[in-house]
Amino acid sequence: MREGFDRCQGRPEPLKEIPLGTRPELSILRGLVGPQWDERRECWFAAVDCHCTDGSPRFMLRIETDDPYHWEPPKWSEGSDPIWRRTENLFVDQYNEPIACFNILPLDGTPHEEHGYFMNMYRYIATDGTRTPGPIAFSQDGFRFDVDVNTQWINYLSDTGNPTIYDPVIKQYRIYCRPHFADRRAAMLLSPDLETFGQPTVVLQPDAQDPPHREFYGIEPMQLDDMYIAHLAVYDTEPTEIESPAKMQGTTQTELAYSYNAQNWYRAYREPFFPRTEAGSLFGGAVYPSAPMRISDDTLLFHCMGQGVEHGAHDEQIPSDRL
């Protein structure tokens, strides 16, 4: 019987902030990006996104922990070398140059586990300056990746997390992205082998019950028993800004979404799951989610990156995460 039921949504319990530290050579130091379990190294891992003040390449590094409640900040050595050469666990390409990618999929338990780790990149900038949107890369150790610029999972820029999951029911990989450049809706494409990729199709977009100028910044899913749940980043843009090609001013917070097949998605409840906080505070301008993490006692941990200013603001971003 379904009569008399009221739909309600629980509230996550804030646990702590995870400071990542600061470095004078960096204009932005942010994360934790895409934390997940690595079966090969038997640890939790996440990426930290770093932007240099001297025009050096944007880079990302990997941090690891045995306890997903506690993460140690990156370590930096002193010296005159570029900052990305003075850290540990850097993500690099086959030429030992730094690369950036929000999500990496460990392939253990999939039909392609012999490839180690899969990376679907937002963009790759070669040493000669050539820019390739959407190349793929594989790695045996999770740090050094062989980038294949001749294979693109998409041929445009999808400036969001672009997470990949393996669907054991259809025995294919699902990559969540944007349907076009600057088109802030949630789309998905399929790949049977991580070498050939289908066309993206929209799986979730704002509807008539949403306020004007609302967009979906991205979606971060995970499998939970016989269904899927996801963090949906809801982006409310500045109404007076003229779009060219996309609105850059606005605020972000998260909602919950769910699916029974990882393709048809629904919003659980139209209230923020991780709402913004007071202006100027850690989450006052934007909340950027990572996929939920399920740990051994069936607790779900949510790592969210906070920003004290609105999206598009050029003020200093607050380099911290909160669970």
Side-chain angles (χ1 to χ4, degrees), residues 105-119:
L105 176 66
L107 294 173
D108 293 280
T110 74
H112 301 86
E113 60 183 27
E114 72 277 5
H115 291 303
Y117 302 80
F118 171 71
M119 175 186 286

Side-chain angles (χ1 to χ4, degrees), residues 301-315:
L301 293 183
F302 301 85
H303 295 76
C304 285
M305 183 174 65
Q307 185 169 302
V309 296
E310 293 187 1
H311 179 280
H314 297 290
D315 301 275

Side-chain angles (χ1 to χ4, degrees), residues 26-314:
L26 297 174
S27 61
I28 297 176
L29 175 66
R30 60 188 178 187
L32 306 168
V33 181
Q36 56 188 308
W37 175 255
D38 187 341
E39 188 70 34
R40 292 191 176 197
R41 294 175 61 87
E42 295 187 347
C43 64
W44 300 94
F45 79 99
V48 177
D49 185 17
C50 306
H51 296 238
C52 300
T53 57
D54 63 359
S56 299
R58 174 185 181 182
F59 64 94
M60 286 191 173
L61 54 91
R62 169 173 167 146
I63 57 176
E64 300 178 343
T65 183
D66 294 328
D67 181 356
Y69 290 90
H70 302 282
W71 297 79
E72 294 294 328
K75 295 180 175 60
W76 314 90
S77 61
E78 300 300 328
S80 58
D81 288 339
I83 181 65
W84 59 269
R85 293 185 182 274
R86 293 186 278 117
T87 188
E88 300 175 350
N89 299 339
L90 185 71
F91 294 130
V92 297
D93 64 11
Q94 58 267 44
Y95 309 108
N96 286 323
E97 295 293 328
I99 54 178
C101 179
F102 285 118
N103 279 278
I104 298 169
L105 176 66
L107 294 173
D108 293 280
T110 74
H112 301 86
E113 60 183 27
E114 72 277 5
H115 291 303
Y117 302 80
F118 171 71
M119 175 186 286
N120 54 310
M121 302 182 71
Y122 160 72
R123 177 176 60 192
Y124 175 70
I125 304 177
T127 54
D128 62 0
T130 303
R131 297 169 179 252
T132 304
I136 65 168
F138 292 98
S139 172
Q140 287 298 319
D141 61 7
F143 300 96
R144 182 185 176 94
F145 286 81
D146 291 321
V147 180
D148 180 6
V149 296
N150 296 314
T151 303
Q152 296 170 273
W153 65 278
I154 53 173
N155 60 4
Y156 57 89
L157 300 179
S158 176
D159 189 14
T160 184
N162 305 317
T164 303
I165 63 173
Y166 178 68
D167 187 335
V169 175
I170 63 173
K171 295 180 171 58
Q172 294 199 61
Y173 299 87
R174 299 182 182 270
I175 303 180
Y176 296 86
C177 58
R178 291 178 177 169
H180 300 285
F181 172 66
D183 184 343
R184 296 192 184 107
R185 294 179 292 168
M188 187 214 66
L189 60 85
L190 292 172
S191 174
D193 51 14
L194 299 177
E195 296 178 356
T196 56
F197 301 89
Q199 292 297 312
T201 58
V202 174
V203 296
L204 197 58
Q205 63 185 1
D207 57 33
Q209 295 185 48
D210 287 298
H213 308 285
R214 171 164 287 181
E215 301 176 348
F216 288 166
Y217 206 84
I219 190 170
E220 296 283 343
M222 69 164 289
Q223 187 170 4
L224 185 67
D225 299 326
D226 60 348
M227 63 182 299
Y228 295 82
I229 62 171
H231 253 160
L232 176 67
V234 177
Y235 180 47
D236 288 310
T237 64
E238 168 55 48
T240 62
E241 183 184 3
I242 299 176
E243 184 174 340
S244 179
K247 291 193 173 188
M248 297 301 294
Q249 305 297 323
T251 60
T252 305
Q253 51 194 350
T254 78
E255 293 182 1
L256 283 181
Y258 67 96
S259 173
Y260 297 106
N261 59 8
Q263 180 160 336
N264 304 102
W265 287 88
Y266 312 94
R267 293 152 76 179
Y269 198 64
R270 294 183 183 239
E271 287 187 4
F273 188 63
F274 282 117
R276 292 185 300 111
T277 54
E278 294 183 4
S281 62
L282 175 63
F283 289 90
V287 183
Y288 296 107
S290 293
M293 297 167 55
R294 187 177 189 176
I295 59 177
S296 57
D297 62 356
D298 279 341
T299 297
L300 293 181
L301 293 183
F302 301 85
H303 295 76
C304 285
M305 183 174 65
Q307 185 169 302
V309 296
E310 293 187 1
H311 179 280
H314 297 290

